[in-house]
Structure formats: structure tokens, C-alpha cells
Amino acid sequence: APLRTQLTEIERQVALMSDLQLGEIRLGVSPTVEYMLLPSVLKQFVSSTGSVSLNIVTEDNAASSLAMFGGSCLDVIVGPFFEADHESERVMARQLFTNTIIAVARPEHPCFLPGGATPARLSEYSWAIPANPQGTSLERPLPEFMSGVKVFSDSYDTLNRLTQDNDILCAGPSGLFAEGLANGSLQTLDIDLELTMTFSLLVRREAYATPLMHHLVDLFVAEAAKLH
């Protein structure tokens, strides 16, 4: 099996050795990256490459993404990984951005009434959070007052709509709620969850040396820089 995996990797690198006009890349992203980065990256990638196909897998389980990457099923993955945990002689890891985990609700939610956001009251409300929230870069468990989670979803459009239209609290990376916070349909709770998530890109070093993969990585780095 290890030899077969190595041969597969060699075949993949040969296929990527051309310029930006031909090739195929298998990309794995977490739902957060899909929501916050992928549209802008794809726009730049499509307009700057020729007959190149980009096959995208969205995976909400960080361990599954790492397994597919390790088995050469994916050429590059972007998700909730710590750079230092995966940098090696064979793998290049590039930290892209870090998001604070925040809690939001619609402005009419009773949590915004006086005394409505105490830990005791917060534990009485229904919560919605992204599926598999404890990815490899979530530094500590969720607080006890979030034990009443009713909805787990890897669709961030669903989480946003659900929270905007109902008396449900939602916690997640701050970038997921930027639009709702900007237009006033969501409001941040004045609580510090003391949680952050770090998102990094992992790619094999030999693949990164090819023009096509180098170009894709550069696009992710450039678009992520705009989030800071």
C-alpha cells in the first residue's frame, strides 16, 4: 500500500508539471473555507488558467480531510489545521487566517434583555453551531452553557438564516456572520468564548514546485490576506 501511494503521488506530480494551461487539481476545503475564501479564489483561478479542471471536495471533518490527503486522494487541503502540526519534509503548511469564535443572535432575541446573557440563561436557550466544531485547530472544548445545541450544520447559509429568523443562538468563526452583522440582521453577544480557529493550507512540497499548484496556493494566500 505505501508503494502504491508513492507511485500515485509520482503520477500526480507528472500530471501537474505543465504550465497553467493543462492539468487537474483535487482540492479539499472545510465548510468555513468554502464560505469565506473559495468563491474569490475560484474567480481568480478560472480567469487565469486554461484547460485546467479543479475538483473540489467539501469535508467538515478535519481528520477525514487529512486521511484523504495522506492517501493521495486530494492534492491540497485547506481547513482547520495548525501549521506547526503538519509542516514536514514532505508537506508544506501555510497558515492563512485565524478567526475568533463568536456568538450571535437576531436583535430581538431575549438574550439582549437585561440579565439575558448570564451563563445560567445562556444554557436555557437553543443553540446552533457548525457541524464538527471541534476541528483540529479548536483549542479547547465548548463552554458548558452551550450544552443545549439543537442544530449542527455544515451549511453556513442555513445557520445564518436560522439565526436571523428564530430565537436561536449561533456560535462560529466570526467571518461567517460578517454580512448579517453588517446589515443589522444579527448582533454579537457580549460574551467572550475564549475560542479561536486557525485555518491553514497543506500541500506536498513536490506538488507546490509545479506552476499550477504554486499558482493556486498563491491565490489562497492573497485572498486570505484580505480577511485580516
Side-chain angles (χ1 to χ4, degrees):
L3 178 59
R4 186 179 301 112
T5 298
Q6 292 178 20
L7 291 174
T8 301
E9 291 181 10
I10 292 172
E11 292 172 354
R12 292 295 304 158
Q13 305 328 312
V14 171
L16 291 169
M17 283 302 291
S18 62
D19 55 18
L20 302 183
Q21 301 306 308
L22 295 171
E24 175 193 27
I25 293 179
R26 297 168 302 182
L27 168 67
V29 297
S30 71
T32 303
V33 172
E34 179 188 48
Y35 187 87
M36 295 179 61
L37 274 184
L38 192 58
S40 55
V41 169
L42 287 180
K43 179 181 179 180
Q44 299 292 331
F45 186 83
V46 170
S47 64
S48 59
T49 56
S51 300
V52 175
S53 61
L54 188 60
N55 297 327
I56 302 167
V57 174
T58 302
E59 175 55 64
D60 64 359
N61 187 299
S64 295
S65 293
L66 289 168
M68 287 188 284
F69 178 68
S72 296
C73 296
L74 295 172
D75 300 311
V76 55
I77 54 175
V78 190
F81 315 119
F82 281 125
E83 178 181 13
D85 288 347
H86 302 284
E87 183 83 13
S88 68
E89 292 183 0
R90 297 185 62 195
V91 175
M92 184 190 80
R94 182 73 62 86
Q95 181 174 318
L96 296 180
F97 64 98
T98 297
N99 252 198
T100 301
I101 305 298
I102 63 172
V104 301
R106 64 176 181 171
E108 301 84 5
H109 195 288
C111 70
F112 294 117
L113 297 175
T118 63
R121 291 299 306 275
L122 291 175
S123 65
E124 297 174 357
Y125 302 132
S126 296
W127 287 81
I129 61 175
N132 193 44
Q134 296 188 44
T136 56
S137 69
L138 191 60
E139 296 177 339
R140 65 186 71 186
L142 297 173
E144 290 186 8
F145 60 74
M146 289 181 61
S147 58
V149 176
K150 296 292 185 65
V151 177
F152 297 87
S153 177
D154 59 6
S155 169
Y156 295 121
D157 286 330
T158 296
L159 290 174
N160 272 288
R161 290 197 302 269
L162 179 68
T163 310
Q164 291 168 12
D165 297 338
N166 300 275
D167 283 340
I168 293 179
L169 303 180
C170 187
S174 58
L176 304 183
F177 310 115
E179 183 176 348
L181 293 172
N183 63 30
S185 59
L186 291 175
Q187 187 171 325
T188 305
L189 276 72
D190 188 19
I191 56 174
D192 186 0
L193 298 177
E194 299 182 344
L195 293 169
T196 61
M197 288 190 76
T198 297
F199 295 85
S200 300
L201 179 149
L202 308 183
V203 61
R204 291 179 187 81
R205 294 187 182 278
E206 62 268 25
Y208 181 64
T210 65
L212 188 57
M213 189 66 76
H214 198 292
H215 179 58
L216 179 63
V217 172
D218 285 351
L219 290 177
F220 267 107
V221 172
E223 293 303 316
K226 299 176 183 178
L227 300 176
H228 298 157

